[in-house]
Amino acid sequence: MRMLVNIRIPHEPFNSLVRAGTAGTIIRKILEDVKPEAVYFTEQHGARGAVLIIEVARPSDVPAFAEPWFLQFNADCEFRVVMSPADLQQAGLDTLGAKWK
């Protein structure tokens, strides 16, 4: 199952890690471990943030994606199931529409 992960990184401890020169190394280590399909860094509600697309085989895999961000940056993580256009075509919307008229 493909998931979108919104990550909000608070100013601290991130500012201190940037000053120490270790923030980039930690991010690189997390991304090497998590192996996202895609990752974009952005602003999240006035703070640093990232958006990742990950492949999750089972719900018990979620902590392995979240804990590095929690433990290293005190980050907030939100997980949402996402679909590609091909996935949506397989959802049977026409059948569901007829069923729930």
Side-chain angles (χ1 to χ4, degrees), residues 5-8 65-70 74-79:
V5 185
N6 275 327
I7 300 166
R8 186 181 157 279
F65 293 107
E67 290 300 329
W69 300 100
F70 293 155
N74 294 329
D76 296 323
C77 299
E78 299 173 334
F79 291 80

Side-chain angles (χ1 to χ4, degrees), residues 13-101:
F14 201 86
N15 285 348
S16 294
L17 294 169
V18 169
R19 288 184 185 105
T22 57
T25 301
I26 294 169
I27 288 173
R28 187 171 30 262
K29 184 177 176 182
I30 292 171
L31 295 178
E32 286 171 357
D33 188 63
V34 170
K35 297 177 183 57
E37 286 183 29
V39 60
Y40 300 94
F41 294 95
T42 186
E43 172 274 339
Q44 294 275 353
H45 304 286
R48 294 174 181 97
V51 177
L52 282 67
I53 302 294
I54 59 173
E55 186 66 32
V56 178
R58 55 195 165 276
S60 61
D61 293 338
V62 170
F65 293 107
E67 290 300 329
W69 300 100
F70 293 155
L71 295 171
Q72 295 298 309
F73 300 121
N74 294 329
D76 296 323
C77 299
E78 299 173 334
F79 291 80
R80 294 186 175 96
V81 174
V82 295
M83 293 183 281
S84 69
D87 295 331
L88 185 60
Q89 286 180 345
Q90 295 176 9
L93 291 178
D94 295 339
T95 304
L96 291 169
K99 178 180 178 179
W100 295 102
K101 277 188 174 179

